PDB file of all heavy atoms in Angstrom:
ATOM      1  N   VAL A  93      21.208 -10.909 -54.888  1.00 96.00           N
ATOM      2  CA  VAL A  93      21.692  -9.635 -54.735  1.00 96.00           C
ATOM      3  C   VAL A  93      21.418  -9.004 -53.371  1.00 96.00           C
ATOM      4  O   VAL A  93      22.125  -8.035 -52.998  1.00 96.00           O
ATOM      5  CB  VAL A  93      21.199  -8.697 -55.828  1.00 96.00           C
ATOM      6  CG1 VAL A  93      21.659  -9.122 -57.179  1.00 96.00           C
ATOM      7  CG2 VAL A  93      19.693  -8.514 -55.780  1.00 96.00           C
ATOM      8  N   SER A  94      20.468  -9.550 -52.614  1.00 96.00           N
ATOM      9  CA  SER A  94      20.184  -8.981 -51.277  1.00 96.00           C
ATOM     10  C   SER A  94      19.298 -10.019 -50.579  1.00 96.00           C
ATOM     11  O   SER A  94      18.805 -10.912 -51.019  1.00 96.00           O
ATOM     12  CB  SER A  94      19.515  -7.625 -51.376  1.00 96.00           C
ATOM     13  OG  SER A  94      18.234  -7.814 -51.916  1.00 96.00           O
ATOM     14  N   MET A  95      19.265  -9.728 -49.152  1.00 96.00           N
ATOM     15  CA  MET A  95      18.380 -10.626 -48.364  1.00 96.00           C
ATOM     16  C   MET A  95      17.528  -9.631 -47.542  1.00 96.00           C
ATOM     17  O   MET A  95      17.969  -8.543 -47.196  1.00 96.00           O
ATOM     18  CB  MET A  95      19.191 -11.492 -47.424  1.00 96.00           C
ATOM     19  CG  MET A  95      18.295 -12.343 -46.495  1.00 96.00           C
ATOM     20  SD  MET A  95      19.309 -13.421 -45.385  1.00 96.00           S
ATOM     21  CE  MET A  95      19.751 -14.653 -46.572  1.00 96.00           C
ATOM     22  N   HIS A  96      16.302  -9.961 -47.399  1.00 96.00           N
ATOM     23  CA  HIS A  96      15.354  -9.219 -46.620  1.00 96.00           C
ATOM     24  C   HIS A  96      14.257 -10.156 -45.926  1.00 96.00           C
ATOM     25  O   HIS A  96      14.373 -11.441 -46.141  1.00 96.00           O
ATOM     26  CB  HIS A  96      14.672  -8.180 -47.493  1.00 96.00           C
ATOM     27  CG  HIS A  96      13.822  -8.822 -48.581  1.00 96.00           C
ATOM     28  ND1 HIS A  96      14.362  -9.281 -49.811  1.00 96.00           N
ATOM     29  CD2 HIS A  96      12.447  -9.147 -48.698  1.00 96.00           C
ATOM     30  CE1 HIS A  96      13.466  -9.766 -50.534  1.00 96.00           C
ATOM     31  NE2 HIS A  96      12.241  -9.717 -49.932  1.00 96.00           N
ATOM     32  N   THR A  97      13.412  -9.580 -45.145  1.00 97.00           N
ATOM     33  CA  THR A  97      12.388 -10.398 -44.599  1.00 97.00           C
ATOM     34  C   THR A  97      11.207 -10.371 -45.498  1.00 97.00           C
ATOM     35  O   THR A  97      10.700  -9.310 -45.860  1.00 97.00           O
ATOM     36  CB  THR A  97      11.972  -9.826 -43.230  1.00 97.00           C
ATOM     37  OG1 THR A  97      13.096  -9.776 -42.335  1.00 97.00           O
ATOM     38  CG2 THR A  97      10.824 -10.573 -42.613  1.00 97.00           C
ATOM     39  N   GLY A  98      10.747 -11.517 -45.922  1.00 93.00           N
ATOM     40  CA  GLY A  98       9.714 -11.661 -46.938  1.00 93.00           C
ATOM     41  C   GLY A  98       8.298 -11.392 -46.294  1.00 93.00           C
ATOM     42  O   GLY A  98       8.175 -11.202 -45.092  1.00 93.00           O
ATOM     43  N   PRO A  99       7.261 -11.558 -47.112  1.00 90.00           N
ATOM     44  CA  PRO A  99       5.868 -11.302 -46.633  1.00 90.00           C
ATOM     45  C   PRO A  99       5.460 -12.338 -45.553  1.00 90.00           C
ATOM     46  O   PRO A  99       4.556 -12.067 -44.778  1.00 90.00           O
ATOM     47  CB  PRO A  99       5.019 -11.359 -47.845  1.00 90.00           C
ATOM     48  CG  PRO A  99       5.863 -12.143 -48.820  1.00 90.00           C
ATOM     49  CD  PRO A  99       7.278 -11.857 -48.497  1.00 90.00           C
ATOM     50  N   THR A 100       6.075 -13.558 -45.550  1.00 92.00           N
ATOM     51  CA  THR A 100       5.756 -14.493 -44.524  1.00 92.00           C
ATOM     52  C   THR A 100       6.532 -14.470 -43.226  1.00 92.00           C
ATOM     53  O   THR A 100       6.470 -15.152 -42.299  1.00 92.00           O
ATOM     54  CB  THR A 100       5.895 -15.895 -45.096  1.00 92.00           C
ATOM     55  OG1 THR A 100       7.285 -16.052 -45.457  1.00 92.00           O
ATOM     56  CG2 THR A 100       5.036 -16.195 -46.332  1.00 92.00           C
ATOM     57  N   GLY A 101       7.519 -13.349 -43.257  1.00 96.00           N
ATOM     58  CA  GLY A 101       8.302 -13.213 -42.078  1.00 96.00           C
ATOM     59  C   GLY A 101       9.665 -14.014 -42.110  1.00 96.00           C
ATOM     60  O   GLY A 101      10.476 -13.947 -41.205  1.00 96.00           O
ATOM     61  N   LYS A 102       9.762 -14.693 -43.266  1.00 97.00           N
ATOM     62  CA  LYS A 102      11.027 -15.538 -43.425  1.00 97.00           C
ATOM     63  C   LYS A 102      12.104 -14.749 -44.038  1.00 97.00           C
ATOM     64  O   LYS A 102      11.870 -13.890 -44.844  1.00 97.00           O
ATOM     65  CB  LYS A 102      10.690 -16.776 -44.219  1.00 97.00           C
ATOM     66  CG  LYS A 102       9.721 -17.706 -43.642  1.00 97.00           C
ATOM     67  CD  LYS A 102       9.383 -18.839 -44.631  1.00 97.00           C
ATOM     68  CE  LYS A 102       8.260 -19.764 -44.088  1.00 97.00           C
ATOM     69  NZ  LYS A 102       8.033 -20.839 -45.069  1.00 97.00           N
ATOM     70  N   PRO A 103      13.471 -15.144 -43.727  1.00 97.00           N
ATOM     71  CA  PRO A 103      14.517 -14.561 -44.493  1.00 97.00           C
ATOM     72  C   PRO A 103      14.292 -14.916 -46.021  1.00 97.00           C
ATOM     73  O   PRO A 103      14.040 -16.115 -46.363  1.00 97.00           O
ATOM     74  CB  PRO A 103      15.821 -15.281 -43.956  1.00 97.00           C
ATOM     75  CG  PRO A 103      15.336 -15.831 -42.651  1.00 97.00           C
ATOM     76  CD  PRO A 103      13.887 -16.097 -42.781  1.00 97.00           C
ATOM     77  N   THR A 104      14.468 -13.893 -46.874  1.00 97.00           N
ATOM     78  CA  THR A 104      14.226 -14.114 -48.306  1.00 97.00           C
ATOM     79  C   THR A 104      15.300 -13.490 -49.174  1.00 97.00           C
ATOM     80  O   THR A 104      15.764 -12.402 -48.923  1.00 97.00           O
ATOM     81  CB  THR A 104      12.875 -13.427 -48.683  1.00 97.00           C
ATOM     82  OG1 THR A 104      11.811 -14.006 -47.849  1.00 97.00           O
ATOM     83  CG2 THR A 104      12.500 -13.547 -50.104  1.00 97.00           C
ATOM     84  N   LEU A 105      15.801 -14.239 -50.084  1.00 96.00           N
ATOM     85  CA  LEU A 105      16.813 -13.805 -51.032  1.00 96.00           C
ATOM     86  C   LEU A 105      16.083 -13.050 -52.263  1.00 96.00           C
ATOM     87  O   LEU A 105      15.161 -13.637 -52.801  1.00 96.00           O
ATOM     88  CB  LEU A 105      17.700 -14.941 -51.541  1.00 96.00           C
ATOM     89  CG  LEU A 105      18.667 -15.431 -50.608  1.00 96.00           C
ATOM     90  CD1 LEU A 105      19.413 -16.662 -51.247  1.00 96.00           C
ATOM     91  CD2 LEU A 105      19.737 -14.402 -50.227  1.00 96.00           C
ATOM     92  N   ARG A 106      16.728 -12.012 -52.720  1.00 97.00           N
ATOM     93  CA  ARG A 106      16.245 -11.363 -53.950  1.00 97.00           C
ATOM     94  C   ARG A 106      17.244 -11.710 -55.018  1.00 97.00           C
ATOM     95  O   ARG A 106      18.415 -11.545 -54.944  1.00 97.00           O
ATOM     96  CB  ARG A 106      16.239  -9.914 -53.799  1.00 97.00           C
ATOM     97  CG  ARG A 106      15.900  -9.076 -55.083  1.00 97.00           C
ATOM     98  CD  ARG A 106      15.992  -7.564 -54.862  1.00 97.00           C
ATOM     99  NE  ARG A 106      15.745  -6.859 -56.072  1.00 97.00           N
ATOM    100  CZ  ARG A 106      14.700  -6.250 -56.427  1.00 97.00           C
ATOM    101  NH1 ARG A 106      13.695  -6.287 -55.604  1.00 97.00           N
ATOM    102  NH2 ARG A 106      14.518  -5.636 -57.589  1.00 97.00           N
TER     103      ARG A 106
END
Side-chain angles (χ1 to χ4, degrees):
V93 296
S94 65
M95 182 180 281
H96 61 278
T97 301
T100 61
K102 298 177 183 178
T104 301
L105 285 175
R106 177 184 172 101

